[in-house]
Amino acid sequence: MEATEKKEVVFSAIQPSGTITLGNYLGAVRNWVKMQDEYNCIYALADLHTITVRQEPAKMRKNIIDAYASIMACGVDVEKSIFFIQSHVHTHAELAWVLNCYTQFGELSRMTQFKDKSAKHADNINAGLFTYPVLMAGDILLYQADKVPVGADQKQHIELARDIAARFNGLYGDVFKVPEGFIPKNGARVMSLQNPLNKMSKSDENVNGCVHLLDDPDTIMRKFKRAVTDSEACVRYADGKDGVNNLMTIYSSVTGLSFEQIERDFEGKGYGDFKAAVGEAVVEELRPIRERYEKLVKDKAYLESCYRAADEIALKISSRTLGKAMKKVGFVR
Ligand code: TYM
């Protein structure tokens, strides 16, 4: 890329609502790291999003700092990227309000994540859970992002962000860049090791279904050894072999091997060998992350200096977009 050529903007965020999972890492965070040299990258801890589900205050504070250290340990480099905390930058809540008035009830009712989460938290179907995709749209649009690296489960939310941006631009001229999702070919949907029809999620009731970024090697190996497979005893990617397909996806995503190569390498071998190989590959991928995390999390002052600096830049950039949008709507600035 020419030095004079303006780099495209990448924006993405993650909820600090518990430990980060292998799904978060392979579906999103690993790409955040890879994109840092080629793009102007802006990443956030979406802490405002987490209170759509009730949080325990002390645990929430700890989760935010742990998640900040974890993402840095994955390789998000604050010298290259802006990595801030959403609730520290007030423009997010403000633009969300404005955009709420440009988003239809019917559009939000169609969001599959809202339907899933309201079924799961039937005792707390709050308005925030419903309007959550609008806050997310605002996150992206504030930074005029070109690309948004996410896992497949966020695709519908990105499409909504595009629709809101296009609608607003249609009324007021070019205010927002219409962003594009950036979803990896491999690893966009990592499934539970115990129920491969459900996505791997920190809220999985079965602890063996979800691998956490900071799990120790023995725990990781144990979870992979217990992973659900099938009775065919043949490592191949095919319809109906959801457990094996998921393990192949994880293995391919970590090692870079194609499915064909994996099938050749494990021809005539049983699932025991295959599960051990997947477990070992994941252990090696996560080992340096865990080691870096252990060091980073001890240095709270350093972490704070990183997010304070990033918060300030994020506020500056996002204030420009917020100001422009509010002026177009008719607010006196
Ligand atoms: P969150 O915190 O649920 O997940 C963070 C990222 O991880 C991806 N992901 C997965 N990818 C593959 N397999 C899985 N099992 C898996 N589970 C999660 C998600 O797709 C996501 O990319 N609403 C967002 C956070 C957010 C955001 C934003 C994202 C807030 N504002 C603006 C992009 C842009 C969320 O809850 O992600």
Side-chain angles (χ1 to χ4, degrees):
M1 185 179 279
E2 296 277 354
T4 50
E5 204 177 315
K6 215 166 161 263
K7 287 182 178 179
E8 284 192 320
V9 176
V10 161
F11 181 90
S12 198
I14 184 167
Q15 291 197 54
S17 52
T19 53
I20 291 168
T21 70
L22 183 65
N24 295 138
Y25 177 70
L26 296 178
V29 179
R30 203 169 57 150
N31 283 326
W32 299 10
V33 175
K34 286 187 190 153
M35 293 172 103
Q36 292 182 109
D37 289 319
E38 203 181 323
Y39 299 92
N40 274 333
C41 294
I42 307 176
Y43 301 126
L45 282 189
D47 56 346
L48 292 173
H49 281 84
T50 64
I51 63 164
T52 52
V53 174
R54 201 70 72 230
Q55 303 287 327
E56 206 262 290
K59 203 165 166 207
M60 176 167 158
R61 277 188 282 273
K62 182 177 183 308
N63 281 345
I64 291 170
I65 301 302
D66 288 354
Y68 197 87
S70 303
I71 298 290
M72 280 182 74
C74 287
V76 166
D77 179 348
V78 294
E79 301 291 324
K80 292 183 187 163
S81 302
I82 300 164
F83 178 37
F84 69 97
I85 299 182
Q86 184 191 32
S87 67
H88 296 182
V89 182
H90 60 77
T91 45
H92 289 254
E94 289 171 47
L95 184 64
W97 172 253
V98 174
L99 297 183
N100 267 325
C101 303
Y102 294 79
T103 308
Q104 299 302 305
F105 180 87
E107 288 179 299
L108 293 176
S109 309
R110 285 194 288 277
M111 295 292 119
T112 52
Q113 204 168 71
F114 170 71
K115 291 185 212 164
D116 292 349
K117 284 206 175 174
S118 47
K120 212 165 168 186
H121 303 277
D123 55 338
N124 183 22
I125 306 177
N126 60 75
L129 195 64
F130 189 64
T131 61
Y132 160 120
V134 183
L135 179 60
M136 175 165 162
D139 296 340
I140 300 166
L141 302 182
L142 277 172
Y143 299 92
Q144 308 289 353
D146 296 280
K147 290 201 167 70
V148 188
V150 285
D153 63 333
Q154 297 299 322
K155 190 164 176 251
Q156 200 184 24
H157 292 161
I158 307 281
E159 270 155 23
L160 180 74
R162 290 169 56 85
D163 289 346
I164 297 173
R167 180 174 310 143
F168 201 93
N169 290 349
L171 289 166
Y172 302 113
D174 272 349
V175 178
F176 300 121
K177 183 94 192 204
V178 180
E180 264 174 47
F182 182 93
I183 296 172
K185 271 205 224 86
N186 209 346
R189 189 181 287 279
V190 177
M191 309 309 275
S192 162
L193 299 184
Q194 288 298 313
N195 182 356
L197 293 174
N198 289 345
K199 82 169 181 180
M200 182 181 282
S201 142
K202 16 194 173 205
S203 56
D204 199 326
E205 273 145 34
N206 188 332
V207 288
N208 290 317
C210 178
V211 174
H212 300 273
L213 210 61
L214 305 173
D215 278 347
D216 61 65
D218 288 348
T219 306
I220 296 173
M221 290 307 290
R222 197 187 63 236
K223 287 178 179 176
F224 278 104
K225 280 184 185 154
R226 290 189 185 168
V228 167
T229 46
D230 53 58
S231 54
E232 193 196 27
C234 175
V235 178
R236 65 185 184 97
Y237 196 97
D239 279 351
K241 289 175 67 75
D242 303 298
V244 171
N245 293 350
N246 187 39
L247 291 173
M248 286 181 72
T249 301
I250 294 171
Y251 193 58
S252 162
S253 172
V254 171
T255 59
L257 295 171
S258 66
F259 288 161
E260 294 75 30
Q261 184 65 48
I262 297 171
E263 287 172 2
R264 274 199 297 276
D265 290 352
F266 287 90
E267 215 178 311
K269 292 187 184 152
Y271 289 151
D273 288 342
F274 182 52
K275 288 181 187 180
V278 183
E280 277 158 23
V282 171
V283 163
E284 289 319 313
E285 178 80 13
L286 299 187
R287 187 191 302 281
I289 297 177
R290 208 181 67 247
E291 288 169 1
R292 282 196 294 269
Y293 167 84
E294 307 277 336
K295 280 197 199 121
L296 278 164
V297 81
K298 286 191 192 118
D299 196 347
K300 300 284 188 302
Y302 173 64
L303 293 174
E304 181 169 349
S305 71
C306 295
Y307 61 71
R308 294 274 174 235
D311 296 345
E312 210 175 295
I313 306 171
L315 179 62
K316 214 182 224 167
I317 300 173
S318 59
S319 294
R320 285 201 288 270
T321 306
L322 178 71
K324 191 169 169 191
M326 291 186 75
K327 190 166 167 219
K328 292 280 190 186
V329 168
F331 289 101
V332 175
R333 300 302 289 168

